[in-house]
Amino acid sequence: MNYINEMKIQFLNKSVNEGLARVAVASFCAQLDLTVETIADIKTAVSEAVTNAIVHGYENMSGFVTVCCVYNLNEIEITVSDYGRGIEDITEARRPLFTSSPDEERSGMGFTVMETFMDYLEVKSSVGMGTTVIMRKKVQV
Amino acid sequence: MRIDVMGDAMIIRPKGELDHHYASEIREKADRIILKGEIRKVIFDFTNVLFMDSSGIGVIMGRYRLMEAIKGSVCAFGANQRIKDLIKMSGLSRLITIYPNQQKALEVK
Ligand SMILES: Nc1ncnc2c1ncn2[C@@H]1O[C@H](COP(=O)(O)OP(=O)(O)O)[C@@H](O)[C@H]1O
Ligand SMILES: [Mg+2]
């Protein structure tokens, strides 16, 4: 991709930073002339990926979450990475309503929400190394 | 966030962005009242919720399970289209009704 602009932020896995990530990405996307609806879609997807990194990636450990955001003339790409425990079975994890922590009232809808609100979702993970979620959305710039 | 108790009904009124960070606060405050045992109906007022992700679904599901166990019910009102879509996507719409306003939500037994 030939990027027009690019942003990268990193923050500690504290739940209070979920809001920070949404605001940062929304502000970055505000450089483009997007509809309120599109920005809301992106914010929701980012919130899901960042929450997963914080809740599942690190659990009780401490670590950094990285959010990268780039765009070119027709697409926004957002990458959320953690360096935590990783996902053993990605197919199972992506299934609607699947959650490994029902007692914490996770709904198991995170990946489904990301898939619904974005045009492309790719999950890369390796146990003990961490997880990277790549999401893309078509935009008209 | 405000919680109003009216008879055996409890109205939970979250404010702002309903994410995982906020969800734990809502759960804690709501359950402190529910677990006293007098509430039969939990009503979510989404009027002032500007953003919600699947953590909000988790909060509703959790209260639904709790109320189901004591033969109570859960419903909602004031949800915008995005919130309605999320509730539908998760299959929760089969379990809880979304009413157009507070009066309707309180009326139904
Ligand atoms: N960053 C991550 N690191 C480790 N496991 C993850 C990560 N993201 C998702 N998972 C796993 O995938 C499952 C499904 O995620 P999701 O659809 O967001 O549902 P939920 O977060 O409600 O459990 C999680 O329960 C967890 O087991
Ligand atoms: Mg999740």
Side-chain angles (χ1 to χ4, degrees):
Chain A
M1 228 190 333
N2 203 359
Y3 306 134
I4 294 170
N5 200 358
E6 189 165 351
M7 167 190 84
K8 189 182 275 189
I9 58 167
Q10 229 174 12
F11 48 83
L12 210 54
N13 62 321
K14 300 207 173 276
S15 66
V16 67
N17 289 329
E18 291 155 10
L20 170 84
R22 288 194 300 271
V23 169
V25 172
S27 307
F28 181 77
C29 291
Q31 296 169 1
L32 308 170
D33 193 19
L34 307 178
T35 62
V36 177
E37 200 59 22
T38 301
I39 292 188
D41 286 351
I42 293 171
K43 269 179 83 173
T44 313
V46 166
S47 196
E48 297 293 352
V50 167
T51 302
N52 279 353
I54 291 173
V55 175
H56 306 298
Y58 290 117
E59 290 182 303
N60 302 320
M61 301 178 280
S62 180
F64 278 93
V65 179
T66 307
V67 178
C68 295
C69 202
V70 300
Y71 61 80
N72 64 16
L73 284 177
N74 46 41
E75 200 169 54
I76 290 178
E77 182 181 278
I78 298 157
T79 308
V80 178
S81 309
D82 67 68
Y83 315 93
R85 83 178 153 91
I87 304 174
E88 215 164 294
D89 186 341
I90 297 177
T91 311
E92 175 187 57
R94 288 181 66 157
R95 208 173 293 144
L97 299 174
F98 172 84
T99 180
S100 55
S101 35
D103 40 320
E104 277 159 62
E105 291 193 356
R106 307 303 313 153
S107 63
M109 289 300 292
F111 281 129
T112 308
V113 167
M114 291 180 238
E115 248 167 52
T116 308
F117 291 151
M118 303 296 277
D119 295 315
Y120 173 87
L121 174 71
E122 185 183 341
V123 184
K124 295 183 193 167
S125 191
S126 125
V127 174
M129 300 287 283
T131 301
T132 295
V133 171
I134 303 164
M135 305 180 277
R136 298 196 188 116
K137 195 163 180 75
K138 296 251 174 288
V139 292
Q140 292 277 322
V141 179
Chain B
M1 180 184 60
R2 230 177 73 198
I3 293 183
D4 294 323
V5 175
M6 299 174 178
D8 65 357
M10 173 171 93
I11 308 181
I12 305 171
R13 305 186 201 272
K15 224 172 129 180
E17 311 219 314
L18 209 179
D19 61 3
H20 154 255
H21 181 66
Y22 191 14
S24 49
E25 180 190 333
I26 297 172
R27 170 167 60 174
E28 220 170 90
K29 288 186 175 159
D31 289 2
R32 208 176 300 149
I33 300 173
I34 295 173
L35 293 175
K36 286 182 188 158
E38 267 140 44
I39 302 297
R40 283 294 165 272
K41 187 171 183 171
V42 170
I43 304 170
F44 283 93
D45 172 5
F46 286 114
T47 313
N48 295 307
V49 175
L50 307 171
F51 170 88
M52 186 172 111
D53 64 17
S54 73
S55 303
I57 298 296
V59 173
I60 306 171
M61 270 184 186
R63 307 293 76 63
Y64 176 82
R65 292 209 184 96
L66 209 56
M67 294 309 290
E68 194 193 23
I70 58 167
K71 304 262 181 294
S73 66
V74 176
C75 65
F77 71 92
N80 63 31
Q81 195 53 49
R82 288 192 78 84
I83 295 177
K84 283 182 186 162
D85 289 348
L86 266 178
I87 289 176
K88 196 159 180 197
M89 201 187 290
S90 63
L92 253 188
S93 46
R94 278 182 277 119
L95 307 176
I96 72 158
T97 307
I98 303 171
Y99 295 102
N101 55 51
Q102 177 172 319
Q103 198 190 338
K104 283 264 160 33
L106 277 168
E107 257 168 33
V108 183
K109 253 286 147 217

